[in-house]
Amino acid sequence: MVEVTLVPLTNDDREQFILDNQEAFNYGALEEFGLRNDHFEEDGEIISRKTIEQSIDGGEAYRIMQDGQTVGGVVIKVTKERGDLDLLFVSPKAHSKGIGYAAWCAVERLHPEVTIWETVTPYFEKRNIHFYVNRCGFHIVEFFNKHHPDSNDQEAEKQTDEQFPDGMFRFEKRISEIDNCQLASQ
């Protein structure tokens, strides 16, 4: 497996983290939709500065490092045995090299107390859906859309309706005794 480390985000690197996150998310949207802009938040970004800042401020933010180089980032929230993968991104220049999977495994090792992880991704992010389901062992457990909004998160409901009217998938991963990441490291 590829070797990466998670380095806690510093205030000095916060601005670059936000820009790198936006670049990675925009890359996926542009691949899928081209220059159509109806899926972008403010200022032509698929994920706004405000959304990223709220995520960083409300969770644990890390830079994904490989061989001393920044290759992505991750933001998680942990409450006892439950974890929320808020953001995970890999630089488009480093896609398809196993970095995202290695980073996810590092997150699992960082919080072995978590038995249930959760995340969401827009319906059109086929790379993400493949990654979460086929690589990391998540399962799709819910599909938020105008007929089934996220009743637990009013802001997410508004974002789903306005930005992703065709929906968002919610994923869940229940950690078992032997898990994908544990098998990969053996």
Side-chain angles (χ1 to χ4, degrees), residues 22 25-26 29 39-41 44-48 124 163-164:
Q22 289 176 322
F25 276 71
N26 286 353
H39 289 81
F40 290 80
E41 286 189 25
E45 302 295 340
I46 196 73
I47 184 168
S48 71
F124 65 83
Q163 185 182 7
F164 303 114

Side-chain angles (χ1 to χ4, degrees), residues 19-184:
L19 295 173
D20 291 349
N21 184 289
Q22 289 176 322
E23 175 190 27
F25 276 71
N26 286 353
Y27 179 84
L30 288 171
E31 267 193 331
E32 183 66 25
F33 298 112
L35 294 177
R36 282 183 33 205
N37 65 0
D38 58 342
H39 289 81
F40 290 80
E41 286 189 25
E42 59 197 47
D43 300 325
E45 302 295 340
I46 196 73
I47 184 168
S48 71
R49 169 177 291 281
K50 178 182 175 189
T51 300
I52 298 168
E53 288 177 340
Q54 288 173 338
S55 179
I56 293 168
D57 294 340
E60 300 172 30
Y62 299 91
R63 275 302 202 168
I64 302 168
M65 306 293 291
Q66 181 185 42
D67 299 327
Q69 300 294 311
T70 299
V71 291
V74 62
V75 179
I76 57 174
K77 295 175 185 163
V78 173
T79 307
K80 298 181 183 174
E81 73 281 345
R82 294 191 71 87
D84 181 38
L85 173 59
D86 223 24
L87 297 171
L88 173 62
F89 66 94
V90 174
S91 167
K93 298 173 196 136
H95 280 179
S96 300
K97 296 180 180 171
I99 291 167
Y101 181 68
W104 174 249
C105 290
V107 166
E108 284 189 17
R109 286 190 302 275
L110 186 64
H111 285 286
E113 75 278 13
V114 174
T115 58
I116 300 173
W117 284 98
E118 188 175 300
T119 195
V120 296
T121 201
Y123 76 95
F124 65 83
E125 284 286 1
K126 294 175 189 155
R127 276 181 73 92
N128 289 0
I129 295 165
H130 162 75
F131 173 73
Y132 292 128
V133 172
N134 299 323
R135 291 288 291 146
C136 298
F138 281 79
H139 297 277
I140 298 171
V141 294
E142 206 162 7
F143 180 56
F144 300 127
N145 60 70
K146 65 182 178 181
H147 303 292
H148 180 74
D150 183 351
S151 61
N152 296 319
D153 187 344
Q154 297 302 320
E155 188 63 33
E157 180 180 340
K158 180 181 173 193
Q159 180 178 349
T160 299
D161 289 346
E162 292 174 3
Q163 185 182 7
F164 303 114
D166 294 326
M168 300 267 288
F169 288 107
R170 182 173 73 87
F171 300 86
E172 196 173 86
K173 179 176 183 180
R174 293 181 179 272
I175 305 295
S176 63
E177 288 182 28
I178 298 294
D179 195 75
N180 294 5
C181 290
Q182 293 167 341
L183 291 172

